[in-house]
Amino acid sequence: MQDEDAQGSTTAPRRLCWGGGALLLTACSGPQSVLDPAGRDAEVLAVLFWWMLGGAVLLWLAMNGLFFYVTRMKERAFSPQAADRLIVFGGVVFPTVVLAVLLSFALSEMPRQRDLGEGLTLRVTGESWWWRVEYRTEDTETPVISANEIRLPAGSRSELELAANGYIHSLWIPALGGKTDLIPGRETRMSLEPVTPGEYGGQCAEFCGESHAKMALRAVVLPPEEFAAWLEQQAAPATPPETETARRGQAVFLREGCGACHAIRGLGARGTIGPDLTHLGGRRTLAAGVLPMSRAALEDWLRAPEAIKPGVRMPAYGHLAAADLAALATFLEGLK
Ligand code: CUA
């Protein structure tokens, strides 16, 4: 009976340990992890992390070993000379060498993380609380404008010009590279060289106000040919609505004055305050990564955006008749 009790009391913490450990490990992989690199810059950062972790574990073991040896095994105290040597080596020489090696590795890698991009240039502006993304290439005069999604070609280094409108933000796509601040009134830059095509999560990494936590973005890395085709499609104006419901939605869009804040190229809406909606339906998420891109989510968003993203500048359209709201969502979802 006693044995069983003793076992019961040790298995609970053990389970907690294993559970906690497994939970921590799940954070090491997946689309938004620094330890699951999909780009050149993130690979270097991951290598640096593993070396630092390995070194820290070795040091921890060595310190505990030394502590154990001195307190449990050593019978006599160190001689003053031996103690001095231990202090000079362990307290001065060893840390100096370790820190110098780590610093020189990090410094040698830093310029590469800031290399100039080749070909594609993107301008990313931190808005409240979403990302304005403009693509500039050598062969397009006017930039292709999108939001909350950064598409990049795999295998080449893209240049990102960073700006902020109103508040400070920080752009971080952990699987692709380190973070850089977006500062009002100042131009900053970074470059990214994605290697593996796929979808990766990103997040604003600098507290910027009430919806900071809801300022996510999606990075979609495509093979170069696919990227070129996508960019060409994005440069085209919006396709006019095809169904009766979508046409009714477009009429609601115009009647309600949505074009004062949003642009839809080809349909006469030229607002620049909110995100460009020309190809809204082709994006993966809605409201900066907060909702999936679907008709139902669009309806929820239009009805009460403030309930989904506190502090948002988008006004609510809950006063519209249900059929008008549904038509508006259908029209917007159709903008592929
Ligand atoms: Cu934008 Cu935090």
Side-chain angles (χ1 to χ4, degrees), residues 127 129 131 168-170 204-209 212 215:
E127 302 278 351
W129 284 269
W131 309 88
I168 188 171
H169 306 273
S170 184
C204 179
E206 178 75 59
F207 181 70
C208 54
H212 155 70
M215 191 172 169

Side-chain angles (χ1 to χ4, degrees), residues 55 62 105 143 174 200 208 290:
F105 176 72
Y200 308 99
C208 54
V290 177

Side-chain angles (χ1 to χ4, degrees), residues 259-317:
C261 289
H262 297 282
I264 301 181
R265 271 176 292 127
L267 297 184
R270 293 197 179 82
T272 55
I273 294 168
D276 186 297
L277 305 177
T278 310
H279 298 287
L280 174 73
R283 294 181 205 147
R284 304 285 208 271
T285 65
L286 180 65
V290 177
L291 297 170
M293 181 57 70
S294 70
R295 209 182 57 82
L298 267 162
E299 255 186 77
D300 290 342
W301 176 250
L302 292 165
R303 192 178 298 115
E306 174 78 27
I308 294 163
K309 185 178 268 196
V312 69
R313 308 229 159 128
M314 164 95 179
Y317 285 87

